[in-house]
Amino acid sequence: LKAIPRSRSFDYSHVILDIGAPPPLNVALVDVSLELFSLCFPYTNTSVQRSLLETLNSNLLTNKHIPLRRSIIKANILFSLQLTLNEIQKAALALDPKIAELLMIIVEECSFADDDHLYEIKSRIASFICAAVKRSGNQEFGVDTVNILINRIVEKEEPILRGLNLNMVCEIFKDDPTSGNLNVIMDIVEQFLNDKHPVIHTSGLNSLIILLMRRYYNDKLKIGKVMDILFNMVFSNDYEPGSVSGFGNSYNSEFNMLLGVGNALKALTEVIGPDLRNIRVKFKAVLSSLNMCPCSDVQAVSLKISELVAMFKMETLFNFKMSLLIVRSLILSFLKRGMPRSGFKVSVEY
């Protein structure tokens, strides 16, 4: 076994940095227990792994009558599995398919009302599980898992659950291209992007970014189609914030479509580079719209896109003066946040 790394719970640099008191002893004990579990589990035999997982699962099932306690247990189990699978992935260890099935059941049980915040964690866990099983010599587990998840996308109606399943499909496929059919997955992503429900098309944008970063959209036709969809999302009245569908009040504050479009455009820019010239008209229109968004997060992404475009020496695709105005606005915002109301007036010249 490896030496146990010191838990951040016992890092007393918080005194030097003046960031408050250390966590209570029971919280620190849980943190160390999570680390210890993640370091021990991968190196035990299959029967011990099964016993440990069945114990975790029984704790999930026996605390259903105490919602708050069950939520804490679910969170601790989920993060312990994340640490464990990270260790398995780093050490390139294998998992027995039966253990993997039990892990997937436990991950499914660890669900919350706002599961969208756990998309990335659960998707990475699923991907690492499939990769570990493949290292054991089983080539079918990843394929079967992707097919099950796609069936759930088709059969389920709950938007957050459908988005989670798509994210898991794309993460698994990203690490193992033999686990699914690229054209089928792309079609599902495009259906999500064309859906007017904020949760669905935001999930579609997140999944699109995963595929873009693996360069699966690598020809002019596919890239042009992605740009057309992003352009339509920004300028069509069918999507928020200009939508009259009634979704806006419920979801717009949490599922920011323009931020998702910005991140997707950034990924597209990183992937195709100088080939942006082929889509320059719609690209420039979408980037200009992002620049004018009042949301600081969207503006920050638009600045990053402009920086990438400048690196490719295509300054005509972005408005340099607008970028300076955004920088000025962001700096003023950051400075004002850290000053009392009676603070001095800040002036930025450029």
Side-chain angles (χ1 to χ4, degrees):
L1 291 178
K2 298 181 180 178
I4 299 172
R6 189 175 68 165
S7 170
R8 284 180 294 175
S9 303
F10 299 106
D11 182 3
Y12 284 89
S13 62
H14 63 272
V15 178
I16 301 171
L17 299 174
D18 190 26
I19 55 175
L25 183 59
N26 59 339
V27 175
L29 185 61
V30 169
D31 286 353
V32 174
S33 299
L34 296 181
E35 291 180 0
L36 184 60
F37 181 87
S38 69
L39 290 171
C40 293
F41 181 91
Y43 301 98
T44 57
N45 60 47
T46 302
S47 60
V48 174
Q49 289 179 348
R50 177 181 293 279
S51 176
L52 289 170
L53 292 178
E54 286 175 349
T55 301
L56 292 180
N57 201 29
S58 67
N59 274 285
L60 280 173
L61 299 175
T62 56
N63 286 279
K64 284 188 175 181
H65 59 290
I66 313 175
L68 181 58
R69 177 174 173 75
R70 187 164 186 258
S71 295
I72 295 171
I73 291 171
K74 286 194 294 185
N76 287 337
I77 289 175
L78 191 61
F79 288 114
S80 70
L81 293 184
Q82 182 195 23
L83 292 172
T84 302
L85 269 300
N86 283 339
E87 179 65 25
I88 289 173
Q89 184 72 7
K90 283 192 295 183
L93 301 174
L95 271 179
D96 183 271
K98 296 295 183 183
I99 299 298
E101 289 175 9
L102 190 50
L103 281 167
M104 293 296 287
I105 291 171
I106 293 174
V107 170
E108 190 176 347
E109 282 289 329
C110 294
S111 58
F112 298 84
D114 52 354
D115 244 11
D116 54 288
H117 296 300
L118 302 174
Y119 275 11
E120 185 175 353
I121 292 174
K122 286 191 169 184
S123 298
R124 293 309 296 158
I125 288 174
S127 178
F128 287 163
I129 290 172
C130 292
V133 174
K134 189 171 183 179
R135 286 193 289 269
S136 73
N138 186 311
Q139 306 295 319
E140 303 301 322
F141 186 84
V143 177
D144 294 340
T145 302
V146 167
N147 288 335
I148 290 169
L149 292 171
I150 289 175
N151 287 335
R152 288 179 183 172
I153 292 170
V154 174
E155 295 169 0
K156 302 291 183 181
E157 295 183 358
E158 209 283 312
I160 290 178
L161 185 58
R162 294 184 69 208
L164 172 62
N165 287 328
L166 179 61
N167 233 64
M168 292 171 78
V169 166
C170 291
E171 277 289 352
I172 294 170
F173 184 79
K174 182 189 77 172
D175 294 334
D176 179 15
T178 65
S179 61
N181 185 303
L182 176 60
N183 292 326
V184 171
I185 295 173
M186 283 183 171
D187 285 343
I188 296 172
V189 170
E190 288 171 13
Q191 288 175 26
F192 269 57
L193 292 172
N194 289 319
D195 196 296
K196 305 307 180 287
H197 195 292
V199 176
I200 297 297
H201 60 243
T202 302
S203 302
L205 286 166
N206 293 334
S207 300
L208 173 66
I209 292 167
I210 294 172
L211 297 181
L212 280 170
M213 296 311 294
R214 288 293 291 179
R215 300 181 183 273
Y216 288 126
Y217 288 84
N218 53 8
D219 61 61
K220 290 182 179 179
L221 184 62
K222 290 176 182 175
I223 290 168
K225 194 171 185 179
V226 169
M227 193 66 247
D228 288 342
I229 292 173
L230 296 180
F231 181 87
N232 184 56
M233 292 180 79
V234 172
F235 293 102
S236 170
N237 289 332
D238 293 331
Y239 296 88
E240 79 274 5
S243 171
V244 293
S245 61
F247 288 124
N249 294 334
S250 303
Y251 293 102
N252 280 358
S253 59
E254 187 171 355
F255 297 90
N256 189 331
M257 184 268 293
L258 286 178
L259 182 59
V261 169
N263 286 323
L265 195 66
K266 175 175 168 288
L268 186 66
T269 305
E270 292 173 349
V271 169
I272 67 174
D275 289 338
L276 286 170
R277 294 185 181 90
N278 299 324
I279 54 173
R280 59 182 177 275
V281 176
K282 290 185 177 179
F283 177 89
K284 189 172 182 179
V286 172
L287 181 56
S288 297
S289 180
L290 296 176
N291 286 336
M292 292 183 285
C293 177
C295 174
S296 59
D297 289 339
V298 177
Q299 290 179 346
V301 173
S302 73
L303 275 179
K304 185 62 180 176
I305 296 170
S306 299
E307 178 187 339
L308 290 169
V309 172
M311 286 173 57
F312 297 128
K313 301 187 184 303
M314 293 184 289
E315 291 82 355
T316 57
L317 294 185
F318 71 98
N319 188 322
F320 182 70
K321 187 173 181 180
M322 176 65 75
S323 297
L324 288 177
L325 289 172
I326 293 172
V327 171
R328 176 181 182 275
S329 172
L330 291 174
I331 291 174
L332 285 171
S333 175
F334 293 146
L335 289 174
K336 288 176 180 176
R337 267 184 228 167
M339 293 184 343
R341 291 187 180 181
S342 58
F344 59 87
K345 185 177 179 182
V346 179
S347 176
V348 177
E349 299 294 337
Y350 60 92

